[in-house]
Amino acid sequence: MPSIKLSNGVLRYKTHPLFLGVKRIDKEIAAENLSLLKRFLGERNITFGLIAGTLLGAVREKDFISHDEDIDLFVLGEQKQKFLDLLPELKKEGFEVARFDRRGLLSIIRRGEYIDIYFFVPLCEGIRHCCGWCVPEELLLKTAMLEFKGDLFVAPQDYEGFLVYEYGYNWQTPIKWADFEMPKWKRKLNEWKELMKEVLPDCLFYPIANRIERKVLNKYISNMERYNRFRNTSLKIPM
């Protein structure tokens, strides 16, 4: 059974296989989960922000994106252990751990809706990353409050810069990226892959993960070049 190291012990959990196309988001439950998590973390002085598809939906649709499947949040890596140590308390609020990528991605689930939490740590000067996902550090450190679902949430102050960086200049044009009608064999294969990631020992997991990350990093070279043009900056691109 997979586990997460806490400051005062170990938390064991049952993996919920999660992958792109596993489910379509239930906006009502997702909004309820986001509100509950904000209250819980706010009372414990942990800051999180909207990112990825959730930020895109908040800016463009003023709602969750209909073809999305989860909530995406970011937390600075400096607060990672503090967050993990609160998981037993979070369980009392109805949230279960769904998966944990030891490189920095945590998924929690409540009432069938899950939240991906990305813990971003420094990669090189001006860049933070999580599981191979690179983001200009200034987008995560310079934040402002953004109204969403009747509440205020932390988000990149330059949210347009983030959306251009991540999705391109046409970020305002909806593009369906999830297929919720994948064949049963493909769904089973994806479930198997997710389960295997949880149980692989570090000596096997990290070499495989690092090889995949190197391929992913190549994508962000072009993203960074686009962001540099948009912001007229010269952030160093990780090689």
Side-chain angles (χ1 to χ4, degrees):
M1 195 174 201
S3 62
I4 298 174
K5 291 182 181 179
L6 309 180
S7 295
N8 60 351
V10 172
L11 175 70
R12 301 191 182 281
Y13 65 94
K14 180 181 178 181
T15 302
H16 295 253
L18 302 174
F19 47 87
L20 190 62
V22 69
K23 54 170 284 299
R24 194 182 300 273
I25 195 168
D26 183 312
K27 296 182 180 181
E28 183 177 347
I29 298 176
E32 181 181 288
N33 287 352
L34 184 59
S35 179
L36 282 172
L37 186 64
K38 182 187 177 184
R39 175 188 58 78
F40 178 87
L41 295 179
E43 292 172 353
R44 292 155 179 82
N45 297 314
I46 291 183
T47 301
F48 71 86
L50 308 182
I51 200 170
T54 302
L55 176 62
L56 178 61
V59 173
R60 192 178 67 195
E61 275 91 349
K62 313 300 181 188
D63 197 357
F64 296 108
I65 297 173
S66 296
H67 61 258
D68 205 349
E69 56 189 359
D70 64 352
I71 296 173
D72 298 305
L73 305 176
F74 74 86
V75 175
L76 297 182
E78 291 85 339
Q79 291 194 303
K80 176 182 175 182
Q81 193 58 56
K82 182 178 179 181
F83 191 111
L84 296 180
D85 288 341
L86 291 171
L87 288 175
E89 292 183 52
L90 196 55
K91 186 174 181 179
K92 298 175 184 177
E93 301 289 331
F95 289 97
E96 300 279 349
V97 173
R99 64 176 169 183
F100 180 64
D101 187 315
R102 62 205 89 173
R103 296 171 297 165
L105 167 63
L106 171 72
S107 300
I108 55 177
I109 192 167
R110 176 183 176 273
R111 296 185 62 193
E113 291 298 310
Y114 71 97
I115 301 174
D116 279 343
I117 299 152
Y118 296 88
F119 297 97
F120 281 92
V121 298
L123 173 64
C124 63
E125 183 179 357
I127 307 292
R128 288 199 175 219
H129 76 129
C130 175
C131 300
W133 181 12
C134 298
V135 173
E137 186 173 50
E138 62 185 13
L139 292 173
L140 304 177
L141 299 185
K142 297 178 181 179
T143 60
M145 302 307 291
L146 181 68
E147 185 175 356
F148 181 55
K149 306 299 286 184
D151 206 342
L152 292 175
F153 293 90
V154 170
Q157 184 177 39
D158 182 15
Y159 60 77
E160 185 176 358
F162 173 85
L163 296 174
V164 168
Y165 170 78
E166 191 65 31
Y167 300 106
Y169 288 103
N170 66 336
W171 62 266
Q172 297 186 60
T173 302
I175 299 174
K176 183 178 179 181
W177 62 73
D179 177 12
F180 300 102
E181 299 177 356
M182 67 176 63
K184 186 177 294 185
W185 69 265
K186 189 173 182 180
R187 180 178 293 270
K188 289 295 183 182
L189 178 61
N190 287 335
E191 289 177 359
W192 179 82
K193 288 180 178 178
E194 288 299 316
L195 291 170
M196 285 299 296
K197 285 196 298 186
E198 296 275 15
V199 299
L200 282 176
D202 287 352
C203 62
L204 293 178
F205 175 84
Y206 282 108
I208 296 172
N210 290 339
R211 189 158 55 246
I212 295 172
E213 278 192 13
R214 282 194 293 272
K215 294 180 181 178
V216 174
L217 285 173
N218 290 332
K219 167 193 172 185
Y220 289 104
I221 292 176
S222 60
N223 288 35
M224 189 61 67
E225 290 171 343
R226 181 172 62 226
Y227 179 72
N228 284 338
R229 290 194 299 271
F230 178 76
R231 296 294 298 158
N232 193 25
T233 61
S234 56
L235 283 175
K236 190 181 298 181
I237 300 170
M239 301 299 291

